[in-house]
mmCIF file of all heavy atoms in Angstrom:
data_model
loop_
_atom_site.group_PDB
_atom_site.id
_atom_site.type_symbol
_atom_site.label_atom_id
_atom_site.label_comp_id
_atom_site.label_asym_id
_atom_site.label_seq_id
_atom_site.Cartn_x
_atom_site.Cartn_y
_atom_site.Cartn_z
ATOM 1 N N VAL A 597 0.857 -1.192 0.000
ATOM 2 C CA VAL A 597 0.000 0.000 0.000
ATOM 3 C C VAL A 597 0.889 1.236 0.000
ATOM 4 O O VAL A 597 1.737 1.397 0.887
ATOM 5 C CB VAL A 597 -0.928 0.019 1.225
ATOM 6 C CG1 VAL A 597 -1.873 1.215 1.153
ATOM 7 C CG2 VAL A 597 -1.721 -1.284 1.328
ATOM 8 N N LEU A 598 0.696 2.111 -0.993
ATOM 9 C CA LEU A 598 1.487 3.331 -1.095
ATOM 10 C C LEU A 598 0.615 4.562 -0.926
ATOM 11 O O LEU A 598 -0.569 4.562 -1.280
ATOM 12 C CB LEU A 598 2.207 3.412 -2.444
ATOM 13 C CG LEU A 598 3.371 2.441 -2.644
ATOM 14 C CD1 LEU A 598 2.898 1.189 -3.365
ATOM 15 C CD2 LEU A 598 4.493 3.086 -3.437
ATOM 16 N N LYS A 599 1.218 5.612 -0.391
ATOM 17 C CA LYS A 599 0.564 6.917 -0.264
ATOM 18 C C LYS A 599 1.624 7.993 -0.380
ATOM 19 O O LYS A 599 2.639 7.949 0.312
ATOM 20 C CB LYS A 599 -0.153 7.027 1.085
ATOM 21 C CG LYS A 599 -0.824 8.383 1.299
ATOM 22 C CD LYS A 599 -1.227 8.571 2.756
ATOM 23 C CE LYS A 599 -1.833 9.951 2.978
ATOM 24 N NZ LYS A 599 -1.956 10.273 4.414
ATOM 25 N N ASP A 600 1.410 8.942 -1.268
ATOM 26 C CA ASP A 600 2.343 10.066 -1.451
ATOM 27 C C ASP A 600 3.777 9.592 -1.654
ATOM 28 O O ASP A 600 4.726 10.192 -1.136
ATOM 29 C CB ASP A 600 2.275 11.020 -0.263
ATOM 30 C CG ASP A 600 0.904 11.649 -0.094
ATOM 31 O OD1 ASP A 600 0.191 11.796 -1.116
ATOM 32 O OD2 ASP A 600 0.527 11.975 1.047
ATOM 33 N N GLY A 601 3.937 8.504 -2.405
ATOM 34 C CA GLY A 601 5.270 8.001 -2.722
ATOM 35 C C GLY A 601 5.926 7.177 -1.646
ATOM 36 O O GLY A 601 7.046 6.700 -1.827
ATOM 37 N N LEU A 602 5.251 6.980 -0.520
ATOM 38 C CA LEU A 602 5.828 6.237 0.603
ATOM 39 C C LEU A 602 5.106 4.912 0.793
ATOM 40 O O LEU A 602 3.871 4.849 0.741
ATOM 41 C CB LEU A 602 5.724 7.053 1.899
ATOM 42 C CG LEU A 602 6.544 8.341 1.948
ATOM 43 C CD1 LEU A 602 6.134 9.171 3.163
ATOM 44 C CD2 LEU A 602 8.038 8.031 1.988
ATOM 45 N N LEU A 603 5.861 3.860 1.025
ATOM 46 C CA LEU A 603 5.283 2.548 1.326
ATOM 47 C C LEU A 603 4.723 2.574 2.740
ATOM 48 O O LEU A 603 5.440 2.840 3.703
ATOM 49 C CB LEU A 603 6.352 1.461 1.198
ATOM 50 C CG LEU A 603 5.906 0.031 1.514
ATOM 51 C CD1 LEU A 603 4.847 -0.439 0.521
ATOM 52 C CD2 LEU A 603 7.103 -0.919 1.501
ATOM 53 N N GLN A 604 3.421 2.308 2.864
ATOM 54 C CA GLN A 604 2.765 2.330 4.173
ATOM 55 C C GLN A 604 2.831 0.962 4.854
ATOM 56 O O GLN A 604 3.118 0.866 6.043
ATOM 57 C CB GLN A 604 1.297 2.744 4.004
ATOM 58 C CG GLN A 604 1.098 4.084 3.340
ATOM 59 C CD GLN A 604 1.606 5.240 4.167
ATOM 60 O OE1 GLN A 604 1.216 5.421 5.319
ATOM 61 N NE2 GLN A 604 2.495 6.039 3.589
ATOM 62 N N GLN A 605 2.530 -0.087 4.101
ATOM 63 C CA GLN A 605 2.518 -1.440 4.648
ATOM 64 C C GLN A 605 2.558 -2.426 3.504
ATOM 65 O O GLN A 605 1.959 -2.193 2.444
ATOM 66 C CB GLN A 605 1.262 -1.669 5.501
ATOM 67 C CG GLN A 605 1.231 -3.017 6.229
ATOM 68 C CD GLN A 605 0.042 -3.143 7.176
ATOM 69 O OE1 GLN A 605 -0.784 -2.226 7.281
ATOM 70 N NE2 GLN A 605 -0.067 -4.268 7.866
ATOM 71 N N CYS A 606 3.261 -3.531 3.694
ATOM 72 C CA CYS A 606 3.290 -4.610 2.707
ATOM 73 C C CYS A 606 3.071 -5.922 3.446
ATOM 74 O O CYS A 606 3.889 -6.307 4.291
ATOM 75 C CB CYS A 606 4.611 -4.631 1.938
ATOM 76 S SG CYS A 606 4.682 -5.963 0.706
ATOM 77 N N ASP A 607 1.984 -6.605 3.138
ATOM 78 C CA ASP A 607 1.686 -7.847 3.838
ATOM 79 C C ASP A 607 0.623 -8.617 3.062
ATOM 80 O O ASP A 607 0.181 -8.187 1.986
ATOM 81 C CB ASP A 607 1.204 -7.560 5.262
ATOM 82 C CG ASP A 607 1.775 -8.567 6.273
ATOM 83 O OD1 ASP A 607 1.731 -9.782 5.966
ATOM 84 O OD2 ASP A 607 2.246 -8.141 7.326
ATOM 85 N N THR A 608 0.199 -9.746 3.602
ATOM 86 C CA THR A 608 -0.865 -10.519 2.973
ATOM 87 C C THR A 608 -2.176 -9.743 3.069
ATOM 88 O O THR A 608 -2.346 -8.905 3.962
ATOM 89 C CB THR A 608 -1.037 -11.871 3.666
ATOM 90 O OG1 THR A 608 -1.440 -11.649 5.030
ATOM 91 C CG2 THR A 608 0.259 -12.671 3.645
ATOM 92 N N PRO A 609 -3.114 -10.001 2.165
ATOM 93 C CA PRO A 609 -4.405 -9.301 2.241
ATOM 94 C C PRO A 609 -5.087 -9.463 3.596
ATOM 95 O O PRO A 609 -5.652 -8.507 4.134
ATOM 96 C CB PRO A 609 -5.217 -9.955 1.116
ATOM 97 C CG PRO A 609 -4.193 -10.396 0.121
ATOM 98 C CD PRO A 609 -3.019 -10.828 0.943
ATOM 99 N N ARG A 610 -5.025 -10.656 4.186
ATOM 100 C CA ARG A 610 -5.681 -10.877 5.466
ATOM 101 C C ARG A 610 -5.053 -10.040 6.570
ATOM 102 O O ARG A 610 -5.746 -9.444 7.403
ATOM 103 C CB ARG A 610 -5.620 -12.370 5.816
ATOM 104 C CG ARG A 610 -6.144 -12.743 7.205
ATOM 105 C CD ARG A 610 -7.513 -12.184 7.496
ATOM 106 N NE ARG A 610 -8.519 -12.599 6.532
ATOM 107 C CZ ARG A 610 -9.761 -12.112 6.497
ATOM 108 N NH1 ARG A 610 -10.132 -11.168 7.353
ATOM 109 N NH2 ARG A 610 -10.608 -12.538 5.594
ATOM 110 N N THR A 611 -3.721 -9.947 6.594
ATOM 111 C CA THR A 611 -3.049 -9.144 7.622
ATOM 112 C C THR A 611 -3.347 -7.664 7.443
ATOM 113 O O THR A 611 -3.575 -6.941 8.423
ATOM 114 C CB THR A 611 -1.535 -9.395 7.587
ATOM 115 O OG1 THR A 611 -1.281 -10.783 7.814
ATOM 116 C CG2 THR A 611 -0.817 -8.593 8.659
ATOM 117 N N LEU A 612 -3.374 -7.192 6.203
ATOM 118 C CA LEU A 612 -3.715 -5.789 5.954
ATOM 119 C C LEU A 612 -5.112 -5.470 6.459
ATOM 120 O O LEU A 612 -5.364 -4.384 6.994
ATOM 121 C CB LEU A 612 -3.641 -5.481 4.457
ATOM 122 C CG LEU A 612 -2.262 -5.386 3.817
ATOM 123 C CD1 LEU A 612 -2.401 -5.196 2.317
ATOM 124 C CD2 LEU A 612 -1.456 -4.251 4.405
ATOM 125 N N PHE A 613 -6.022 -6.412 6.299
ATOM 126 C CA PHE A 613 -7.396 -6.199 6.717
ATOM 127 C C PHE A 613 -7.539 -6.262 8.240
ATOM 128 O O PHE A 613 -8.221 -5.443 8.846
ATOM 129 C CB PHE A 613 -8.293 -7.259 6.068
ATOM 130 C CG PHE A 613 -9.765 -7.033 6.251
ATOM 131 C CD1 PHE A 613 -10.458 -6.154 5.421
ATOM 132 C CD2 PHE A 613 -10.466 -7.698 7.239
ATOM 133 C CE1 PHE A 613 -11.817 -5.945 5.585
ATOM 134 C CE2 PHE A 613 -11.830 -7.496 7.410
ATOM 135 C CZ PHE A 613 -12.510 -6.613 6.576
ATOM 136 N N ASP A 614 -6.870 -7.248 8.849
ATOM 137 C CA ASP A 614 -7.033 -7.468 10.290
ATOM 138 C C ASP A 614 -6.115 -6.594 11.147
ATOM 139 O O ASP A 614 -6.465 -6.265 12.283
ATOM 140 C CB ASP A 614 -6.758 -8.942 10.628
ATOM 141 C CG ASP A 614 -7.857 -9.864 10.121
ATOM 142 O OD1 ASP A 614 -8.962 -9.365 9.847
ATOM 143 O OD2 ASP A 614 -7.604 -11.078 9.998
ATOM 144 N N HIS A 615 -4.930 -6.240 10.622
ATOM 145 C CA HIS A 615 -3.961 -5.489 11.423
ATOM 146 C C HIS A 615 -3.323 -4.353 10.618
ATOM 147 O O HIS A 615 -2.103 -4.352 10.382
ATOM 148 C CB HIS A 615 -2.871 -6.431 11.955
ATOM 149 C CG HIS A 615 -3.385 -7.468 12.893
ATOM 150 N ND1 HIS A 615 -3.684 -7.204 14.208
ATOM 151 C CD2 HIS A 615 -3.672 -8.777 12.695
ATOM 152 C CE1 HIS A 615 -4.137 -8.307 14.793
ATOM 153 N NE2 HIS A 615 -4.143 -9.273 13.894
ATOM 154 N N PRO A 616 -4.124 -3.388 10.149
ATOM 155 C CA PRO A 616 -3.535 -2.240 9.438
ATOM 156 C C PRO A 616 -2.604 -1.466 10.371
ATOM 157 O O PRO A 616 -2.915 -1.273 11.544
ATOM 158 C CB PRO A 616 -4.760 -1.403 9.042
ATOM 159 C CG PRO A 616 -5.828 -1.804 10.011
ATOM 160 C CD PRO A 616 -5.585 -3.241 10.340
ATOM 161 N N VAL A 617 -1.460 -1.021 9.837
ATOM 162 C CA VAL A 617 -0.459 -0.381 10.698
ATOM 163 C C VAL A 617 -0.776 1.072 11.000
ATOM 164 O O VAL A 617 -0.228 1.647 11.930
ATOM 165 C CB VAL A 617 0.966 -0.461 10.072
ATOM 166 C CG1 VAL A 617 1.408 -1.887 9.908
ATOM 167 C CG2 VAL A 617 1.027 0.303 8.756
ATOM 168 N N ASN A 618 -1.654 1.680 10.202
ATOM 169 C CA ASN A 618 -1.987 3.082 10.465
ATOM 170 C C ASN A 618 -3.396 3.397 9.959
ATOM 171 O O ASN A 618 -4.062 2.551 9.346
ATOM 172 C CB ASN A 618 -0.939 4.030 9.853
ATOM 173 C CG ASN A 618 -0.796 3.861 8.352
ATOM 174 O OD1 ASN A 618 -1.749 3.533 7.648
ATOM 175 N ND2 ASN A 618 0.405 4.098 7.845
ATOM 176 N N VAL A 619 -3.838 4.603 10.232
ATOM 177 C CA VAL A 619 -5.197 5.025 9.888
ATOM 178 C C VAL A 619 -5.417 4.987 8.382
ATOM 179 O O VAL A 619 -6.495 4.606 7.914
ATOM 180 C CB VAL A 619 -5.474 6.441 10.450
ATOM 181 C CG1 VAL A 619 -6.749 7.026 9.849
ATOM 182 C CG2 VAL A 619 -5.587 6.414 11.962
ATOM 183 N N PHE A 620 -4.400 5.364 7.599
ATOM 184 C CA PHE A 620 -4.577 5.374 6.153
ATOM 185 C C PHE A 620 -4.872 3.976 5.622
ATOM 186 O O PHE A 620 -5.820 3.778 4.855
ATOM 187 C CB PHE A 620 -3.340 5.938 5.449
ATOM 188 C CG PHE A 620 -3.442 5.835 3.948
ATOM 189 C CD1 PHE A 620 -4.229 6.730 3.235
ATOM 190 C CD2 PHE A 620 -2.781 4.823 3.258
ATOM 191 C CE1 PHE A 620 -4.353 6.613 1.857
ATOM 192 C CE2 PHE A 620 -2.904 4.707 1.883
ATOM 193 C CZ PHE A 620 -3.688 5.607 1.176
ATOM 194 N N VAL A 621 -4.063 2.991 5.997
ATOM 195 C CA VAL A 621 -4.275 1.622 5.523
ATOM 196 C C VAL A 621 -5.628 1.102 6.013
ATOM 197 O O VAL A 621 -6.363 0.436 5.273
ATOM 198 C CB VAL A 621 -3.136 0.690 5.985
ATOM 199 C CG1 VAL A 621 -3.396 -0.746 5.557
ATOM 200 C CG2 VAL A 621 -1.794 1.167 5.422
ATOM 201 N N ALA A 622 -5.975 1.426 7.260
ATOM 202 C CA ALA A 622 -7.257 0.981 7.822
ATOM 203 C C ALA A 622 -8.424 1.508 6.999
ATOM 204 O O ALA A 622 -9.387 0.782 6.714
ATOM 205 C CB ALA A 622 -7.376 1.450 9.266
ATOM 206 N N GLY A 623 -8.356 2.772 6.601
ATOM 207 C CA GLY A 623 -9.445 3.373 5.853
ATOM 208 C C GLY A 623 -9.445 3.024 4.385
ATOM 209 O O GLY A 623 -10.481 3.109 3.723
ATOM 210 N N PHE A 624 -8.288 2.606 3.865
ATOM 211 C CA PHE A 624 -8.182 2.342 2.425
ATOM 212 C C PHE A 624 -8.529 0.896 2.084
ATOM 213 O O PHE A 624 -9.154 0.634 1.053
ATOM 214 C CB PHE A 624 -6.771 2.668 1.932
ATOM 215 C CG PHE A 624 -6.642 2.637 0.430
ATOM 216 C CD1 PHE A 624 -7.113 3.696 -0.336
ATOM 217 C CD2 PHE A 624 -6.065 1.557 -0.209
ATOM 218 C CE1 PHE A 624 -7.014 3.668 -1.718
ATOM 219 C CE2 PHE A 624 -5.966 1.523 -1.592
ATOM 220 C CZ PHE A 624 -6.433 2.582 -2.352
ATOM 221 N N MET A 625 -8.109 -0.053 2.920
ATOM 222 C CA MET A 625 -8.315 -1.463 2.619
ATOM 223 C C MET A 625 -9.639 -1.934 3.222
ATOM 224 O O MET A 625 -9.857 -1.826 4.424
ATOM 225 C CB MET A 625 -7.156 -2.304 3.161
ATOM 226 C CG MET A 625 -5.791 -1.903 2.635
ATOM 227 S SD MET A 625 -5.661 -1.918 0.822
ATOM 228 C CE MET A 625 -5.812 -3.668 0.471
ATOM 229 N N GLY A 626 -10.483 -2.473 2.382
ATOM 230 C CA GLY A 626 -11.783 -2.937 2.815
ATOM 231 C C GLY A 626 -12.890 -2.177 2.121
ATOM 232 O O GLY A 626 -12.770 -0.972 1.885
ATOM 233 N N SER A 627 -13.971 -2.868 1.762
ATOM 234 C CA SER A 627 -15.089 -2.223 1.071
ATOM 235 C C SER A 627 -16.404 -2.772 1.614
ATOM 236 O O SER A 627 -16.633 -3.978 1.545
ATOM 237 C CB SER A 627 -15.010 -2.483 -0.436
ATOM 238 O OG SER A 627 -16.059 -1.857 -1.120
ATOM 239 N N PRO A 628 -17.233 -1.914 2.204
ATOM 240 C CA PRO A 628 -17.025 -0.484 2.484
ATOM 241 C C PRO A 628 -15.862 -0.257 3.458
ATOM 242 O O PRO A 628 -15.431 -1.185 4.136
ATOM 243 C CB PRO A 628 -18.347 -0.055 3.111
ATOM 244 C CG PRO A 628 -19.352 -1.089 2.721
ATOM 245 C CD PRO A 628 -18.575 -2.358 2.626
ATOM 246 N N ALA A 629 -15.402 0.967 3.516
ATOM 247 C CA ALA A 629 -14.230 1.287 4.321
ATOM 248 C C ALA A 629 -14.521 1.187 5.813
ATOM 249 O O ALA A 629 -15.671 1.248 6.253
ATOM 250 C CB ALA A 629 -13.749 2.698 3.987
ATOM 251 N N MET A 630 -13.448 1.032 6.580
ATOM 252 C CA MET A 630 -13.568 1.026 8.038
ATOM 253 C C MET A 630 -14.107 2.373 8.521
ATOM 254 O O MET A 630 -13.746 3.425 8.008
ATOM 255 C CB MET A 630 -12.196 0.750 8.669
ATOM 256 C CG MET A 630 -12.210 0.693 10.194
ATOM 257 S SD MET A 630 -10.536 0.522 10.906
ATOM 258 C CE MET A 630 -10.119 -1.155 10.476
ATOM 259 N N ASN A 631 -14.991 2.319 9.524
ATOM 260 C CA ASN A 631 -15.473 3.538 10.172
ATOM 261 C C ASN A 631 -14.421 4.023 11.170
ATOM 262 O O ASN A 631 -13.925 3.234 11.981
ATOM 263 C CB ASN A 631 -16.779 3.249 10.909
ATOM 264 C CG ASN A 631 -17.856 2.711 9.980
ATOM 265 O OD1 ASN A 631 -18.381 3.436 9.152
ATOM 266 N ND2 ASN A 631 -18.178 1.429 10.112
ATOM 267 N N LEU A 632 -14.070 5.295 11.120
ATOM 268 C CA LEU A 632 -13.044 5.867 11.994
ATOM 269 C C LEU A 632 -13.650 7.008 12.810
ATOM 270 O O LEU A 632 -14.218 7.951 12.243
ATOM 271 C CB LEU A 632 -11.860 6.372 11.163
ATOM 272 C CG LEU A 632 -11.137 5.290 10.332
ATOM 273 C CD1 LEU A 632 -10.205 5.927 9.311
ATOM 274 C CD2 LEU A 632 -10.357 4.346 11.247
ATOM 275 N N ILE A 633 -13.528 6.909 14.127
ATOM 276 C CA ILE A 633 -14.144 7.877 15.039
ATOM 277 C C ILE A 633 -13.094 8.348 16.040
ATOM 278 O O ILE A 633 -12.442 7.521 16.689
ATOM 279 C CB ILE A 633 -15.322 7.235 15.795
ATOM 280 C CG1 ILE A 633 -16.359 6.659 14.811
ATOM 281 C CG2 ILE A 633 -15.977 8.231 16.741
ATOM 282 C CD1 ILE A 633 -17.380 5.759 15.466
ATOM 283 N N ASP A 634 -12.913 9.647 16.169
ATOM 284 C CA ASP A 634 -11.955 10.214 17.136
ATOM 285 C C ASP A 634 -12.634 10.369 18.496
ATOM 286 O O ASP A 634 -13.711 10.973 18.600
ATOM 287 C CB ASP A 634 -11.445 11.575 16.651
ATOM 288 C CG ASP A 634 -10.602 11.469 15.395
ATOM 289 O OD1 ASP A 634 -10.159 10.353 15.082
ATOM 290 O OD2 ASP A 634 -10.404 12.500 14.726
#
């Protein structure tokens, strides 16, 4: 997963879905997207 030229996370699809390393990956991977609440 890339954003603004930077690699955010590289892993299996299941790991990206279950354990995203940051908010961007969490919101990008999955359809519909993950709900994010501050």
Side-chain angles (χ1 to χ4, degrees):
V597 184
L598 289 95
K599 178 194 177 193
D600 298 332
L602 294 169
L603 179 64
Q604 302 294 305
Q605 186 174 1
C606 180
D607 220 314
T608 63
R610 174 51 58 188
T611 301
L612 287 175
F613 189 82
D614 289 341
H615 296 282
V617 298
N618 59 32
V619 167
F620 174 77
V621 177
F624 189 77
M625 302 304 293
S627 181
M630 181 185 289
N631 302 289
L632 299 167
I633 304 167
D634 294 343

